[in-house]
Amino acid sequence: MRRGLTLSAVALLAMISIGALSAADDKEKADKKKDAAFCPVGGIGHDINKEVAVDFEGGKVSFCCDKCPAPFKKDTAKFAANARHQLLATGQIEQTACPLTGRKLNPEQKTEVAGLEVTFCCPNCKGKIAKTEKDEEKIALVFNKSLKDSKTFKKAEKKTEKAEAKS
């Protein structure tokens, strides 16, 4: 009887530990994603200020300073891929299909694009991005389509208050 209780207690502790590690891993991924956000005009390395933002493709894009919104508005197409990268980094959009082919995502085919984990359909698509050396080129390849023209990304589902309380 004692042995059974001991084994049950050990199993319970193991399940609690796995759950805690999973929650910590999810928080770490979310924090890393937020850190990947950068000013679409200033570029990689320019942190965002949420107080300086404009509407873009159904979301809010933030900038490093109050000088950046004007060039963004003047030539939105030039900065659009960076802006979509930021929308993904800030959780405003989510990936739904391979950014190169539009096919179903394969969870085993992931690579990093300027601090964000992006999933692809196959090793060929993943390889095309992985072998591209510059982050700016990777961003241009992955985030080149308008959200209204793309099935690759969609507006993220709003979390319920209950789900947000858990995070």
Side-chain angles (χ1 to χ4, degrees), residues 59-71:
K60 287 264 186 218
V61 175
S62 299
F63 301 92
C64 59
C65 66
D66 59 3
K67 293 179 180 145
C68 290

Side-chain angles (χ1 to χ4, degrees), residues 10-76:
V10 169
L12 180 62
L13 283 172
M15 288 190 306
I16 291 170
S17 297
I18 289 169
L21 288 174
S22 177
D25 190 41
D26 289 347
K27 183 176 178 352
E28 186 178 318
K29 283 181 182 177
D31 289 345
K32 185 176 180 184
K33 234 178 148 176
K34 286 179 190 170
D35 290 343
F38 61 86
C39 174
V41 176
I44 296 171
H46 290 258
D47 293 337
I48 59 172
N49 174 356
K50 290 188 178 186
E51 301 297 316
V52 183
V54 299
D55 292 330
F56 175 75
E57 294 187 357
K60 287 264 186 218
V61 175
S62 299
F63 301 92
C64 59
C65 66
D66 59 3
K67 293 179 180 145
C68 290
F72 180 81
K73 289 176 185 176
K74 185 176 181 182
D75 192 0
T76 303

Side-chain angles (χ1 to χ4, degrees), residues 1-2 6-7 11-12 18 20 31 37 44-45 60 70 86 95 100-105 107 109-111 130 156:
M1 172 99 172
R2 253 184 156 168
T6 303
L7 287 175
L12 180 62
I18 289 169
D31 289 345
I44 296 171
K60 287 264 186 218
Q86 186 188 115
Q95 188 178 2
L100 302 185
T101 65
R103 292 187 183 139
K104 184 178 176 184
L105 298 173
Q109 302 302 324
K110 296 179 182 182
T111 194

Side-chain angles (χ1 to χ4, degrees), residues 124-143:
N124 291 335
C125 290
K126 174 188 169 185
K128 182 175 184 176
I129 300 302
K131 75 178 182 184
T132 302
E133 291 183 26
K134 294 183 179 179
D135 279 335
E136 293 82 359
E137 293 172 2
K138 290 179 183 183
I139 291 168
L141 289 168
V142 171
F143 297 98

